[in-house]
Amino acid sequence: MSPRRPPITTQASTAVFTQVLTQGPVSRVDLARRTGLSSAAITKAARPFLDAGYLEELEAGERTAPGAGRPASPLVVRADREFFVGVKITTEDLIGVVGDLRTQIRASAHHQLAAGDVEHVVGALAELVDELLARSPEYRERTHVMGVAVSGDVDRATGTVRYSPFLGWRDVPLAELLAEATGLKVVLENDVKALTVAEQWFGEGVGLSSFALVTVGTGIGCGLVIGGNLVAGAHGVAGELGHLAVAAEPACHCGGTGCVEAIASTDAIVARARLVTGSPALSMEQAVTGARGGDPLLRGVFDRAGHAIGLGLTAVANLVGPERIVVSGEGLAAYDLFEPQIRETFARQAFGAAADCALIIRPLPFEEWARGAASVAVQSLFSGHAH
């Protein structure tokens, strides 16, 4: 198979390939209608992708009516034409996947981290990549780019982790280090933004002009898509819902007070539960069990967290006006305890028609974080932001 990568060099080629990638199979007639391009422009844009093996034509369908003309031959992405590695870095382990062009997971692996320093993580990640690519000769041959997702302040353009509070990293040129260690081009992105890209292209956000993804768990994150584009902000930290102040206290690790994350993250809930019950060894699992069993003190902890999350979601709805908000993250395991307060607060605080914004609950296996990283690797076909 030719090693040539797709020539995505014009707005027309970007529009055509994106439509087929995210919503195919799709006919040239539908492509013209959706993109506003002429039939000749569609044919010209599609031809290099067909020649390079990234698109193929399905067999022509039946005519819809007598005299309706030549039946359409829909275009579809050849998902196995290229593969992409995606890795999510946590404080405890690495979650890695090999995904195809539609980021369907073909292989996955977990590696526990013995240490959290940069040198160890880079070495362990290189081993994980080698293990994944060894699963098939096709992966070795057709994988050129790796996406890496990290929590915190990430500069995608330079491939730098500017600040990751959970990892304790500052100003780490991670993309460059990983490119040297693996031989792959590397795209680095904040983990929530990477997950948002996956939802935009292959999940709840397909076909939407605007939506928000909010993750609940170790941290409280938010990715925003407005006008079809992922919002990074002038300094790359747009969507930091977790550090929206919704109360006068408690103190947050970011240096602020009353942040959503300081009230509703897993650590914050555990700390509050231990305080109100006087049980210094209480775990999250025990807090959830007690709250579900009707313990009024523990129910109050989750009500408080749900209220804070609800205020955060309301702020997103009021400020941005998205078509929907997708709520996800590992914290969904306790979502039944959050939900009444989230929905009550949202209904009360959302302004006018913003209250009509749909809240979609989306379970999130940890492999989905790595799939998000693979999605930003696929994006490198369009943006060139790979190191």
Side-chain angles (χ1 to χ4, degrees), residues 20-62:
V20 180
L21 177 67
T22 60
Q23 299 184 51
V26 58
S27 70
R28 286 175 171 80
V29 172
D30 283 339
L31 281 171
R33 177 178 54 81
R34 295 179 190 181
T35 64
L37 297 169
S38 67
S39 296
I42 295 291
T43 297
K44 181 179 179 181
R47 176 49 53 193
F49 295 106
L50 291 164
D51 291 343
Y54 281 81
L55 295 181
E56 63 182 336
E57 289 184 300
L58 299 181
E59 290 187 16
E62 297 294 329

Side-chain angles (χ1 to χ4, degrees), residues 5 8 37 51 68 83 119 159 181 205 209 235 259 265 278 285 291 307:
R5 304 191 79 209
I8 305 178
L37 297 169
D51 291 343
F83 298 103
E119 183 178 0
S209 174
H235 306 290
C259 297
S265 68
E285 291 75 16
H307 177 64

Side-chain angles (χ1 to χ4, degrees), residues 8 33 57 59 104 107 114 125 153-154 176 178 193 205 227 255 263 270-271 278 293 295 308 316 318 333 339 353 371:
I8 305 178
R33 177 178 54 81
E57 289 184 300
E59 290 187 16
Q104 298 168 109
L125 198 149
D153 180 1
V154 173
E176 180 183 341
L178 290 174
K193 288 184 173 65
I263 299 170
V270 171
D295 185 305
V316 172
N318 287 346
E339 184 171 18
R371 182 173 181 249

Side-chain angles (χ1 to χ4, degrees), residues 211-212 214 222 224 241 244 311-322 325:
F211 76 97
V214 174
C222 179
L224 296 171
L241 180 67
L244 178 72
L311 288 175
L313 298 182
T314 303
V316 172
N318 287 346
L319 286 170
V320 179
I325 298 175

